Amino acid sequence: MRISKCLFLAVLICNLAFAQETGLNKHISYFSSLPERISGSESCLKAANYIETSFRSCRIKKIAKEKFNVVIPVQEFASLTAGNENIPLEAVWPNSIRTSTTPLEGIVGNLIYCDDAGLKSVSGKNISGNIVVMEFNSGNLWLDIASLGAKAVIFIEPLDTSRVEAEKKFVSVPLNIPRFLLKRQYAEKIRNLAAENKQACLTAKISWKGKDSYNIYGILEGNDPGLKKEIIIIQGFYDAISVVPTLAPGAESSCGISVLLELADYFAKNPPKRTVIFLATSGHFQSMKGISSFISQHMRGSPHVKSKLSEPIDAKFVFCLDLTSQSDELGLWHNSYEFLYQRFLAPFAKKLIETAKKECKKYGYNEEQSVINGVSPEKGIGWTNFLPEVIRTDGEQVVLAGYPAISFITVNDSRRYIDTPYDTAEKIQISNLQKQFNLIKKMISLALNDPEFFSGSELNLKDRFCILTANVVRFDPKKSFIPSEPIKDALVLPRRQYMAGYAVPYQKSFFGVRSDIVEKTDENGEADIIGCPMGSGFLLQAYSIDEYSGDIYMAPDYGANGDEQY
C-alpha cells in the first residue's frame, strides 16, 4: 500500500512538472517568435497584449496596463545597391547617439572585402572613401578599418556568435561610421561584387524615436483577513535586446517573464494568504526604465514623496526574476554591493534557501549546487564568483526607492546569446528552467503564506530614488546674455562614471542592459531621467541630430562660452 502511494505521488509530481514545462515552452516559443522585441517596438506591444491575456486566463480580476515613453533607434530602411542588385541590410546598434543613417544621396564607394586575415587582406587597397565588407566575428577590426577612412562597414552574418563578440560592434562615443549586418543568404553575392571592386550605393535611415511601452500588473488578493494587507510583488521583464535591433528574438530574455506567468497561474489556482502583485515590465535593457517608471508612480519609500503619489503601493517585499536556461543553478542576490542592504536582507535569504533545500530533497536535486546564497557568502565564495561579469537587475531600482528586494538570478551562465540575433527558442534548455521554477515557486509560497516570514526583521531602507530634469538650451548672444533658448527634440544622454552606487565602473552594456539611456526634450527643452541615485554624479550630454543625414549639428559646449562660464 505504501509503495502504491509513493508511486502515485511520484507520478503526480512528474505530471505537474510536465504541465509546467509545457507552459514554459509555450510562453518562450511565443515571445521569441516576435522578430524585434525591443521596448517600444510593435513586437513588444504584442508581447504586452499576450501577458495581459495570460493574466486574464488565470482569472486575475484586477489588471492594469500603464504606458511610459522610451526612446529607441528605429530602422526605416537600409539597403545596398550595386548595378541591378538591391540587397537589404540590418543596422547595427548606434555608436552612442550616432545611428547608421546615411545622407539622402547615400554613401557611394567601391566594395572591398576584408577576410579573416584582417588588415593583411586589404594591404595595398584604397580603403579611404569606400565600403568595406567583413566577417561579423572579427572583434574590433572594424575600428581599424574606420581609422583608414572607410565610409561604412558591412558585416556578413555568421553561423554562430556570442554576446561578447556582438557588443564589440558598437562603441560608447558618437563615431560616424555606419555599420550593417548582411544576411548570410547574400554573402556569396556581395563577396563576388567586392572581388570585382564594384561600385555600390548604401542608403539607410535609422532615427531615435519616442515610443510607447507598457508595464502590466495583475493583483491577486490574499485570502487571510489579517495577512492580505501585506503586499508582495513578483516582477519580471519581457523585452529583449540585440546588437541588431531589428533581429531581437530574445528567447533567453523571456525566461523570467515565462516563469512569472506560470507563477501567476499556480497562485491563482492555489490562493495565498498575502496579496501578490504579478508585475511585467519592459524597458529593462534601456537602463531599466520600465521598473523605474513603475516605482516613480507607485513605490516611494520617502513619506513626503509617497504622499504625492496618486496610486501608492506599499509593498512589503519584492522578488525580481532574471533567469536564463543554460544553467540550472539559481542564485539569490540583494541587488546591491553595499553592506547595509546585505545586513537587512540576509535573514530573508536564509529562510528562503532553507526552504529551497528542503524542496531539493523532494525532487532529488543536489542541495549545494541548486541554490546559491549571493546575499551572505558561504564558504568564502562571494557573489562575483558566480557570474562572469557584473549584472544589473531591476531589483537595484526597487532597493534604491527604499523597498526590500531579492532577485532570483540564474548563475554560472555566461548568457552567450543575449544581445545577439541568435537568442532563439531552439537553444533553450527547458529542463534547467523548470528546475529553477520549482524552487522559486516553493520559496515564494513561503513568503506569501508564512505568518512569521517578516517577524523579527529590521527593515529601514532609505529612499534614494531621484528624477533628474535636464534643461537643454542654446546660447544666442543676440537674444540674451545667458544661454536661454530651449531646444526641442534634442537627445539627452546622462552618463554616470559609476553604477550600482559607487561599486561598479561605467561600461556600455551589462549583459545587454545599456548603461546610457537616451531621452528626448519637449517643447520647453526639458527631459526627465527617471531612477537616478541621490548624490551620484553625471556627465550630462545633449545633441541635436539632422533628421535626414544623421549628423550631429549641435553638441555640448565645453568651451569658454559654455561649460567654463556657466
Side-chain angles (χ1 to χ4, degrees):
M1 186 68 177
R2 179 180 291 179
I3 294 174
S4 299
K5 286 182 179 178
C6 289
L7 287 173
F8 173 76
L9 182 60
V11 171
L12 180 62
I13 290 173
C14 288
N15 286 339
L16 287 172
F18 176 76
Q20 289 155 355
E21 190 171 303
T22 304
L24 291 171
N25 254 326
K26 172 192 167 187
H27 299 316
I28 291 171
S29 296
Y30 177 78
F31 286 123
S32 59
S33 72
L34 303 171
E36 46 173 329
R37 221 171 65 248
I38 302 285
S39 291
S41 67
E42 189 66 29
S43 291
C44 199
L45 177 59
K46 289 179 181 178
N49 292 335
Y50 177 87
I51 292 165
E52 185 178 4
T53 301
S54 297
F55 282 165
R56 294 193 188 283
S57 69
C58 296
R59 297 183 180 178
I60 296 175
K61 297 178 180 178
K62 298 179 181 179
I63 299 172
K65 191 175 181 181
E66 296 179 340
K67 181 170 63 177
F68 65 94
N69 186 265
V70 63
V71 179
I72 57 170
V74 177
Q75 178 173 314
E76 299 179 40
F77 58 85
S79 65
L80 180 79
T81 303
N84 295 325
E85 300 284 352
N86 188 268
I87 302 173
L89 300 172
E90 309 296 333
V92 172
W93 191 266
N95 289 328
S96 184
I97 52 85
R98 186 44 168 104
T99 67
S100 293
T101 296
T102 66
L104 286 174
E105 65 275 15
I107 293 175
V108 178
N110 294 335
L111 292 172
I112 298 173
Y113 179 58
C114 178
D115 64 24
D116 292 335
L119 293 178
K120 288 182 180 180
S121 67
V122 293
S123 178
K125 296 180 181 180
N126 184 20
I127 300 296
S128 183
N130 290 316
I131 301 168
V132 176
V133 180
M134 59 197 304
E135 301 301 323
F136 187 87
N137 292 339
S138 53
N140 291 318
L141 180 61
W142 70 274
L143 287 170
D144 296 324
I145 294 295
S147 69
L148 293 173
K151 282 187 175 179
V153 173
I154 297 174
F155 299 109
I156 296 175
E157 180 184 31
L159 291 172
D160 191 36
T161 193
S162 69
R163 174 180 53 82
V164 174
E165 180 69 47
E167 290 178 354
K168 290 179 179 178
K169 300 302 176 288
F170 68 98
V171 293
S172 55
V173 293
L175 181 63
N176 182 10
I177 176 75
R179 294 141 296 117
F180 301 89
L181 181 75
L182 175 84
K183 291 288 188 67
R184 193 163 186 82
Q185 66 201 69
Y186 302 105
E188 197 61 35
K189 184 179 292 184
I190 202 165
R191 286 194 188 102
N192 291 336
L193 290 170
E196 298 172 13
N197 205 30
K198 286 282 189 180
Q199 189 179 78
C201 180
L202 195 160
T203 55
K205 186 175 183 181
I206 300 93
S207 307
W208 288 100
K209 293 188 176 182
K211 294 285 187 176
D212 291 337
S213 200
Y214 295 87
N215 293 328
I216 310 103
Y217 63 92
I219 303 174
L220 184 64
E221 189 173 359
N223 60 13
D224 186 279
L227 293 178
K228 70 178 182 180
K229 297 175 184 177
E230 298 178 353
I231 299 171
I232 289 179
I233 296 176
I234 311 171
Q235 178 269 342
F237 59 86
Y238 65 90
D239 57 316
I241 191 66
S242 173
V243 72
V244 185
T246 52
L247 303 172
E252 290 287 356
S253 302
S254 69
C255 288
I257 186 62
S258 299
V259 165
L260 179 74
L261 295 179
E262 287 300 291
L263 288 171
D265 181 63
Y266 172 79
F267 286 115
K269 294 173 181 175
N270 302 273
K273 294 179 180 180
R274 292 185 170 94
T275 296
V276 58
I277 295 178
F278 303 98
L279 171 62
T281 62
S282 59
H284 172 74
F285 293 101
Q286 280 66 48
S287 205
M288 304 173 294
K289 186 168 183 184
I291 188 66
S292 296
S293 176
F294 181 83
I295 288 168
S296 68
Q297 294 181 67
H298 301 289
M299 294 177 62
R300 296 300 304 274
S302 166
H304 173 70
V305 181
K306 186 187 293 186
S307 64
K308 297 181 180 180
L309 300 179
S310 57
E311 296 181 57
I313 296 174
D314 194 16
K316 192 78 174 176
F317 209 91
V318 180
F319 292 104
C320 300
L321 307 175
D322 201 327
L323 308 174
T324 53
S325 75
Q326 301 307 309
S327 165
D328 65 355
E329 298 178 43
L330 182 66
L332 279 70
W333 192 49
H334 55 291
N335 308 290
S336 175
Y337 293 92
E338 297 182 35
F339 174 73
L340 174 68
Y341 298 107
Q342 180 186 32
R343 182 169 61 86
F344 282 147
L345 295 167
F348 296 104
K350 183 180 179 182
K351 291 178 184 178
L352 294 167
I353 288 173
E354 286 174 354
T355 298
K357 288 186 175 181
K358 290 177 183 177
E359 193 73 356
C360 286
K361 293 178 181 178
K362 172 181 168 183
Y363 286 97
Y365 301 151
N366 184 309
E367 293 180 33
E368 298 301 318
Q369 296 179 356
S370 295
V371 59
I372 306 298
N373 190 342
V375 181
S376 300
E378 297 177 350
K379 299 179 181 179
I381 304 175
W383 174 249
T384 54
N385 292 281
F386 295 106
L387 289 168
E389 300 174 24
V390 172
I391 191 169
R392 296 195 66 198
T393 62
D394 288 321
E396 181 183 318
Q397 300 300 96
V398 176
V399 170
L400 188 65
Y403 287 85
I406 282 180
S407 289
F408 293 114
I409 301 171
T410 308
V411 297
N412 294 323
D413 183 357
S414 67
R415 305 185 177 213
R416 174 184 174 88
Y417 293 108
I418 284 179
D419 209 358
T420 77
Y422 295 83
D423 188 6
T424 51
E426 61 268 18
K427 296 183 178 72
I428 293 293
Q429 301 295 318
I430 199 68
S431 60
N432 287 344
L433 189 62
Q434 178 64 49
K435 177 180 174 181
Q436 294 176 76
F437 170 82
N438 292 339
L439 298 180
I440 290 170
K441 179 182 69 175
K442 193 64 177 179
M443 287 187 279
I444 291 180
S445 293
L446 173 74
L448 288 172
N449 294 301
D450 183 4
E452 303 300 317
F453 186 73
F454 295 106
S455 64
S457 60
E458 181 187 356
L459 297 176
N460 185 24
L461 305 181
K462 291 184 179 179
D463 184 351
R464 300 191 296 117
F465 184 99
C466 297
I467 298 175
L468 172 67
T469 299
N471 186 18
V472 181
V473 294
R474 175 169 43 206
F475 181 37
D476 186 346
K478 295 179 181 179
K479 295 182 178 181
S480 173
F481 290 108
I482 60 171
S484 59
E485 188 176 347
I487 302 175
K488 184 183 178 182
D489 291 333
L491 297 178
V492 177
L493 190 152
R495 178 165 295 172
R496 280 193 279 162
Q497 187 177 358
Y498 292 96
M499 307 290 170
Y502 294 94
V504 181
Y506 171 87
Q507 62 187 57
K508 63 186 178 184
S509 187
F510 294 85
F511 288 112
V513 176
R514 303 293 188 251
S515 292
D516 294 333
I517 187 167
V518 177
E519 299 288 359
K520 267 192 172 185
T521 56
D522 58 20
E523 59 276 4
N524 298 316
E526 294 182 347
D528 288 337
I529 295 95
I530 303 173
C532 303
M534 184 183 296
S536 58
F538 290 86
L539 174 63
L540 191 60
Q541 305 170 69
Y543 301 88
S544 286
I545 308 293
D546 184 87
E547 180 184 355
Y548 301 104
S549 68
D551 290 336
I552 298 169
Y553 67 87
M554 279 195 288
D557 186 351
Y558 295 119
N561 291 323
D563 183 61
E564 290 183 16
Q565 186 169 351
Y566 300 102

